[in-house]
Amino acid sequence: MSRFIFVAAGAVVVLAGLQWGVPKWAAGQIASQIARRDGGVKPNVEVAALPFWILAQGQFQDLYVKASGMHVGGVKFSQAVVNWQNGQLSLSALANNKLVVEKKGQVKAHIIFDNAALSAFLAQRGIVQNPSVSLTPGVMTIHGRLSLGQLNVPLNAKGTLSVSSDKKAILFHPTAFDGIQVPLLTDLEIFQIDSLNLPLPMVIHSVTIKQNQLTVEANTP
């Protein structure tokens, strides 16, 4: 009996070590894959899988990713925090540097742009030429040049942001040009979430402008 208890206790210790070590190893592998796709930024990754052997099928209960300066779909975020619950990945695809989702689960993303990151994003999209963005609570100001047909005109506009009716885009609604209160009926689309080519469909839940910071909350529909 004492020998059985000793063996059982040893098995519990081994399983406990594996339950801690295997998800930690998997998190390291995922972080390395993200860094490879991202151009070198290695995020903090945590994986919760109970029991640990479900990871052999690519399953997990909770996947947490946090990174600064991350690139997704060519877009740089100041900070991104992603929580993915009850999902499943293809391990064979992951081994070939591909991200294939076999079970969607639920994903929530918290994304932050600072002034510089948002300016670079607008420049990349080609919406505004030589853009410079400043953010104050509730208000976004864009300086640059705007193409209107054959015209290329200076742009100095203040406005607010909102989420489109299909929850796929962020819209800039100008309320003042060069300090003159001249609201327009036309909104300018400054961000389209589908342009990121994410492995899962996502919708934008909310957008908030703080001091020098734009926060976007998104999730799976």
Side-chain angles (χ1 to χ4, degrees):
M1 178 64 71
S2 60
R3 183 177 180 183
F4 172 78
I5 293 174
F6 178 78
V7 172
V12 169
V13 170
V14 170
L15 287 174
L18 290 172
Q19 185 62 64
W20 176 85
V22 172
K24 191 173 182 64
W25 173 84
Q29 295 299 308
I30 293 171
S32 296
Q33 291 291 342
I34 293 174
R36 229 177 251 116
R37 297 162 65 94
D38 181 44
V41 177
K42 194 169 184 178
N44 295 322
V45 177
E46 296 176 9
V47 176
L50 188 67
F52 67 86
W53 53 80
I54 67 173
L55 284 170
Q57 286 79 46
Q59 299 179 54
F60 51 87
Q61 279 96 20
D62 193 87
L63 174 62
Y64 175 84
V65 180
K66 181 179 180 181
S68 299
M70 174 183 283
H71 288 79
V72 177
V75 179
K76 182 179 179 180
F77 303 129
S78 304
Q79 187 180 91
V81 177
V82 178
N83 182 231
W84 187 0
Q85 296 180 334
N86 300 316
Q88 183 175 356
L89 294 171
S90 168
L91 294 184
S92 59
L94 197 62
N96 291 308
N97 298 323
K98 296 179 181 179
L99 188 62
V100 176
V101 177
E102 295 188 340
K103 182 182 176 183
K104 184 173 72 170
Q106 300 85 40
V107 181
K108 293 182 180 180
H110 177 87
I111 302 166
I112 296 176
F113 293 94
D114 59 19
N115 294 344
L118 195 54
S119 298
F121 173 67
L122 292 180
Q124 180 188 13
R125 289 286 309 276
I127 299 170
V128 180
Q129 297 179 20
N130 302 317
S132 174
V133 174
S134 61
L135 301 166
T136 56
V139 178
M140 176 175 171
T141 303
I142 304 176
H143 300 274
R145 299 190 70 85
L146 184 66
S147 295
L148 298 173
Q150 300 298 319
L151 299 177
N152 188 276
V153 297
L155 177 66
N156 179 13
K158 287 186 178 182
T160 58
L161 296 179
S162 62
V163 180
S164 63
S165 58
D166 63 0
K167 298 185 178 180
K168 289 289 188 175
I170 296 175
L171 306 176
F172 174 67
H173 181 68
T175 57
F177 288 88
D178 290 319
I180 302 174
Q181 302 296 319
V182 186
L184 295 182
L185 297 178
T186 301
D187 292 332
L188 179 66
E189 183 181 291
I190 65 168
F191 178 74
Q192 171 62 247
I193 196 165
D194 288 343
S195 67
L196 300 180
N197 297 316
L198 299 172
L200 287 169
M202 298 283 287
V203 295
I204 301 170
H205 177 67
S206 66
V207 56
T208 306
I209 306 176
K210 300 179 181 180
Q211 188 67 37
N212 300 322
Q213 181 176 298
L214 172 64
T215 302
V216 179
E217 303 284 351
N219 54 262
T220 47

